[in-house]
Amino acid sequence: MDKTPWYMNAYFYQIYPRSFMDGNGDGYGDFVGITQKLDYLKSLGIDCIWIQPIYPSPMFDDGYDISDFVNVDPRFGTLEEYHQLIDAVHAHGMKIIMDLVMNHCSSEHPWFQAARKDRNSKYRDYFVWSDTDQKYLETRIIFTDTQKSNWAWDEVAGQYYWHRFYPQQPDLNFDNPEVQEAMLNVMRHWMDLGIDGFRADAVPYLFERDGMENENLPETHEFLKRCRKLMDEEYPGAVLLCEANMWPKEVRPYFADGDEFQLGFHFPLMPRIFMSLGKQNAESLVKILKDTPDIPENCQWCTFLRNHDELTLEMVTEEDRQWMWNFYAPDPEMRKNLGIRRRLWPLLDNDPKKVALAYSMMLTMPGSPVFYYGDEIGMGDDIRLYDRNGVRTLMQWDDTKNGGFSTADKTCMPVIDDPVYGYKQVNVASQEGDPNSHLNMIRSLMSTRKASDALCRGKLKWLVDGENIPVLAYIRESEYDKVWVLQNMTDNEQSFTLDLQEGTYYDLNHPEFEIQGSSKTEIKIAPRSFYWLRKKN
Ligand code: BGC
């Protein structure tokens, strides 16, 4: 029997619950709506849903500002309906993980309200207070567009409190053992409801120490190992996915000896996929993967093209950041913090060839891919909307009112209805039956990868190096399977020479394409095209 854990080679699908599907007609996405769409997710080949925050929240940061860690926001439905969703996901043979936001809570959380009102309350020490805002000055600011300091003055408390994100999200004080216990109990609460694990939000920032940058501190790793121990002991098989927007060598310790996180996002890879496509040269991508340390055998990277946040440029050089902004975000409105608030298809000129190439890169590299809702049908963005809401618009199911998202007259977000990306042109229903649709193109690439042992779990061997890499080429090889991947990053035809054994080779995506192998097989690759080649038996 195959003993590989399921998450080593899984497709994750990220659901932003507010915008996915409204099941009760009130204009707000909910659990009942998501439950109705599980057949669709199954048909895409999804293994695990990642549902973004569903906790009660003032929604200042779209649910990442939690005012009750052990409940659901009534706008999404009841706890019972969430339970039914979890059961239905399992009945579909899929899994579900949810966001665990440990670093901070909402300033409306009763803990913070009690803390600010009374210095003697036990909750005072649940947060990080100071009489001066001149402490921890080495710590960078994350929301650079709106924040000048990580300290905010609280009139009622008569002190400053620490926050790495918005002031509406006070950081919890992990030096307080009660806070640690409370978080472990939050994990138990949701695991008991039947979920399969967590995407742990913003974990590098849990502790603060004088004179430090206050990211990735040893104390943080120590606590995270406790979280993992709890999961292993009380909920064997559950997974923890790490959100640490850091360089690979800084993320590496989050896998520890295989006893901290099983999964971690590969943040620096993502902008380099776009940089390679934009510069028509994959040098930066090859370099970052070559610089990525090995991880323990039971651990895996999560790869992704886009998510609910800005396309972060924190993990690129200053020069590359300027290049990316100039190329992909010429309008300053498209920029947000150190990133770009646009979706996949508009970034890539709505060009199916470029998008397919981006998917080819993600799907042929090691890692478990995470798909962002709506990208599979080519949804656009709305940069007029506040903050990152422009990439969180309503899922476009069909060409009826509100794109089939809701029967309500007023919805929580506007639906996109422009002539290019609008719901009348871009929606699931119209693409389902069309073999050439974006949806079926992506679905087909996804199923081809899943059918290849080498692409799922093979080792990667580079066929390219150096400064100019117009064709991104590598071999993926496992015990039973071997695939040669050739991807033309450029707008021109390229030729690439492979050293192959004699025999016939075919393209996994277009098996009618065949080529004869020799020690100098020259292959011509059309602009922005790719081959996933395998030898015929
Ligand atoms: C989430 C963001 C959120 C932040 C604060 C992140 O990393 O992805 O959407 O604003 O954490 O919770």
Side-chain angles (χ1 to χ4, degrees), residues 315-370:
M315 294 302 128
V316 301
T317 62
E318 180 57 38
E319 190 189 340
D320 283 337
R321 187 176 306 140
Q322 289 304 333
W323 187 91
M324 285 288 286
W325 268 332
N326 291 339
F327 192 83
Y328 284 115
D331 177 346
E333 277 297 304
M334 296 170 171
R335 303 177 187 186
K336 181 76 199 164
N337 299 321
L338 288 187
I340 301 174
R341 50 190 204 115
R342 299 181 73 193
R343 262 198 186 255
L344 176 66
W345 285 75
L347 281 164
L348 298 180
D349 306 323
N350 205 21
D351 177 348
K353 283 198 103 116
K354 286 186 195 159
V355 173
L357 189 52
Y359 275 101
S360 167
M361 292 159 87
M362 176 169 74
L363 291 169
T364 58
M365 280 172 201
S368 282
V370 182

Side-chain angles (χ1 to χ4, degrees), residues 61 64 104 143 165 169 199 201 243 308-309 388 392:
D61 185 12
Y64 286 96
H104 46 267
F143 286 165
F165 296 92
Q169 296 164 293
R199 176 256 191 198
D201 183 70
E243 192 223 12
H308 64 295
D309 287 326
R388 291 149 290 171
R392 303 172 179 181

